[in-house]
Amino acid sequence: MANDYYATLGVRRDAGADEVKKAYRRLARELHPDVNPDPETQEKFKEITQAYEVLSDPRKREMYDLGADPFASGGGGGGAGGFAGAGFPFSDIMDAFFGTSASRGPRSRARRGRNATLRVELDLQETAFGTTRELSIDTAVACTSCEGSGCAPGTHPDTCDTCHGRGEVQQVQRSFLGQVMTARPCPQCGGFGSVIRNPCPECSGDGRVRTRRTVKVKIPAGVENGIHIQLAGEGEIGPGGGPPGDLFLEIAEKPHPIFEREGDDLHCTVQIPMTAAALGTNVTIESLDGPEGIDIKPGTQSGQVITMYGRGVRHLNESGRGDLMIHVNVETPHRLDEEQEDLLRRLAKLRGEERPPGKFAPGQRGKLSRIWDVFNQH
Ligand SMILES: [Zn+2]
Ligand SMILES: [Zn+2]
């Protein structure tokens, strides 16, 4: 036997009919001349098809397994080149190339509408606590004149003359395998099986019209920059009376002049003079909930973080809020007048800090150290 059909299809000798069929389909899709027209691939395609013809037919397979010529007793066309005979597995080939061989029938005019995306700019107050917005969107709605059918009032679609309502036309194609019957969507009706001779004048047969629509949407608390909110069924209506797509709101959070958001926590920086940091004070700061007084303890260091629990952004879809982290920045006085400089020198002398040694402290850079500070506080 010149060819090992099992090796050609890449299946074991005890492979079942299903396995053989699967292997053939996979290879046929890969090696089909329409996909890969070079002569070598075409030769390979012939080989796998011949192997399949034998292994998919129990009688031929038995003969082949016994070492006899499976094409000898008039089962097929007889060997390579002439195998497009009566026993040729055309339906399986059609399956492999064109998907299911089951009749597809005409397709519906109704299709689902497209999704739409709308960018919504919100400020921090709105994302933190949620809001309700009225949004104007340019969209497609069902045509009231024809109720989505696309036909002028009082008319109906006519059955297509070309495909007689089937939506597809058969075509005989000549290929190296012989004549192959293929089906393609009817060019006359576009595959719908019917033709609208009197399109609705309002929508030109589309079944929908473009308009500007206002939607009132509730934006939940806790959304953040880049998040998408899906509003099911609020997108464009589909053509031919099809269902609407979805509307997606893309949240764009405007930067806040004071607060920097990190998840549901907010960060801000408060500047206090060196003397206040040393002696302690009470300052009023702005929070999302209005002005709040905070205690600066005596001896507060620059970079220290004061956390106000539950004063951040509300958690999305759950209770509670993030925190507000107040980063203290101690201002070193400069442009001292004579009296001030004298006072500071006396203080330095009293504290023995006239010639202080430099001391290394853990790195203090950016947010990482801020977070470090928060942990150190607890
Ligand atoms: Zn219409
Ligand atoms: Zn047609």
Side-chain angles (χ1 to χ4, degrees):
M1 197 58 48
N3 297 319
D4 181 346
Y5 291 146
Y6 292 102
T8 301
L9 289 185
V11 294
R12 292 192 318 270
R13 295 194 79 84
D14 59 352
D18 257 14
E19 214 174 311
V20 169
K21 193 169 189 166
K22 231 182 248 171
Y24 172 66
R25 284 191 185 186
R26 188 174 48 75
L27 290 166
R29 253 181 242 123
E30 218 172 275
L31 302 170
H32 185 240
D34 284 353
V35 180
N36 211 333
D38 78 277
E40 207 177 302
T41 310
Q42 291 203 18
E43 200 48 50
K44 193 102 181 71
F45 180 73
K46 282 187 194 178
E47 282 172 24
I48 61 152
T49 303
Q50 189 176 11
Y52 178 65
E53 189 188 348
V54 172
L55 298 186
S56 63
D57 181 325
R59 199 180 49 81
K60 286 185 191 160
R61 183 171 175 175
E62 199 186 341
M63 287 177 72
Y64 172 74
D65 287 343
L66 292 169
D69 181 0
F71 296 103
S73 54
F83 59 98
F88 194 72
F90 259 121
S91 65
D92 290 329
I93 287 197
M94 298 304 282
D95 277 5
F97 305 152
F98 305 108
T100 171
S101 61
S103 174
R104 275 153 290 178
R107 62 193 181 102
S108 167
R109 275 177 210 281
R111 273 175 291 139
R112 186 176 180 273
R114 279 185 308 186
N115 293 340
T117 304
L118 197 62
R119 192 179 144 92
V120 185
E121 279 208 343
L122 300 171
D123 58 34
L124 181 61
Q125 198 76 26
E126 292 174 303
T127 56
F129 298 118
T131 186
T132 303
R133 277 281 186 97
E134 283 207 346
L135 303 167
S136 274
I137 45 169
D138 288 312
T139 187
V141 297
C143 172
T144 48
S145 184
C146 63
E147 290 171 332
S149 73
C151 302
T155 68
H156 295 282
D158 293 327
T159 303
C160 174
D161 296 333
T162 308
C163 64
H164 306 291
R166 296 180 34 151
E168 55 183 32
V169 286
Q170 307 269 321
Q171 202 175 28
V172 178
Q173 269 179 341
R174 209 174 268 273
S175 86
F176 72 97
L177 293 171
Q179 293 194 330
V180 178
M181 194 86 110
T182 59
R184 63 190 177 97
C186 171
Q188 179 70 26
C189 60
F192 298 125
S194 63
V195 178
I196 296 177
R197 293 204 203 285
N198 303 296
C200 166
E202 212 62 52
C203 62
S204 312
D206 191 36
R208 54 189 187 156
V209 287
R210 294 213 70 87
T211 187
R212 176 164 277 231
R213 194 163 69 90
T214 306
V215 278
K216 199 170 178 181
V217 295
K218 201 172 172 299
I219 293 161
V223 294
E224 60 187 309
N225 213 22
I227 228 173
H228 283 78
I229 298 174
Q230 184 178 16
L231 301 169
E234 295 284 0
E236 282 188 9
I237 202 105
D246 298 337
L247 175 63
F248 290 89
L249 302 183
E250 185 187 322
I251 302 299
E253 190 179 75
K254 286 185 263 185
H256 192 273
I258 296 172
F259 300 116
E260 200 180 306
R261 184 171 170 183
E262 210 173 68
D264 289 338
D265 292 337
L266 297 175
H267 295 264
C268 68
T269 302
V270 168
Q271 306 250 43
I272 53 165
M274 182 194 76
T275 46
L279 301 171
T281 187
N282 186 281
V283 293
T284 302
I285 60 127
E286 215 40 66
S287 81
L288 287 181
D289 306 83
E292 305 243 12
I294 53 163
D295 271 334
I296 306 285
K297 293 196 183 75
T300 293
Q301 305 294 315
S302 198
Q304 211 164 313
V305 178
I306 298 164
T307 303
M308 297 183 77
Y309 297 101
R311 284 284 189 268
V313 174
R314 238 183 242 167
H315 298 312
L316 181 63
N317 300 329
E318 55 183 289
S319 62
R321 291 171 65 178
D323 303 327
L324 171 58
M325 321 273 203
I326 300 151
H327 299 257
V328 178
N329 192 15
V330 176
E331 279 179 310
T332 306
H334 61 297
R335 282 196 236 113
L336 302 168
D337 65 23
E338 220 171 292
E339 192 185 352
Q340 290 167 353
E341 188 177 334
D342 186 47
L343 269 170
L344 274 180
R345 285 201 187 284
R346 280 166 59 196
L347 178 64
K349 195 171 183 180
L350 274 172
R351 290 179 57 82
E353 292 169 352
E354 288 159 298
R355 282 173 173 279
K359 269 194 293 184
F360 282 111
Q364 295 273 317
R365 275 186 58 191
K367 279 188 185 144
L368 205 66
S369 67
R370 289 186 194 170
I371 291 162
W372 177 250
D373 288 340
V374 177
F375 286 129
N376 279 356
Q377 272 203 339
H378 296 300

